[in-house]
Amino acid sequence: MAVQTMREGACDFLQKPIKQETFLPAIERAIKKDRQARAGATDMIHERHILASLTPREEDVCRLVAEGLTSVLIASRLNISKRTVDVIRTAALKKLALENHMN
């Protein structure tokens, strides 16, 4: 029963009679775990919002940059100039707050 309960997401498994010295720390652990999970969810929502702000062309360029392609290869693949790739990449990295990490 304890193993199944833990698999279903329980933080602790307390046996009756429950003692205050084990109950309160269990509650604190559960609250801490919940706060961490909620903070992670908030981060994911924020990251999705940022990604959604990219234009389709910025997404294309970012995917190709992530694959390791150079600006020249990206330009060739997308049938645009290298300069256009550089402008699009700069705009995308700025939106993603990565402009200082990729130059």
Side-chain angles (χ1 to χ4, degrees):
M1 181 187 276
V3 172
Q4 181 64 30
T5 303
M6 297 302 279
R7 283 186 184 151
E8 292 175 358
C11 297
D12 280 295
F13 187 83
L14 305 174
Q15 293 182 344
K16 292 181 181 179
I18 299 171
K19 298 177 183 159
Q20 185 175 355
E21 55 270 7
T22 57
F23 182 67
L24 293 179
I27 296 297
E28 289 173 0
R29 283 190 298 275
I31 290 170
K32 182 178 179 181
K33 183 177 178 181
D34 181 65
R35 282 186 180 147
Q36 290 171 341
R38 289 176 189 269
T42 301
D43 291 344
M44 292 286 290
I45 291 167
H46 179 68
E47 289 170 5
R48 285 184 180 149
H49 179 70
I50 290 172
L51 287 174
S53 74
L54 295 177
T55 66
R57 184 58 95 182
E58 289 169 341
E59 284 185 42
D60 293 340
V61 169
C62 285
R63 288 183 202 285
L64 296 172
V65 167
E67 289 178 21
L69 274 65
T70 64
S71 292
V72 173
L73 291 173
I74 294 169
S76 174
R77 188 168 292 178
L78 298 177
N79 294 319
I80 57 178
S81 72
K82 178 192 174 298
R83 175 72 182 130
T84 301
V85 170
D86 292 339
V87 169
I88 293 169
R89 179 193 303 147
T90 300
L93 295 178
K94 191 173 215 172
K95 285 181 182 179
L96 298 173
L98 296 173
E99 67 268 18
N100 294 330
H101 301 285
M102 297 293 290
N103 293 329

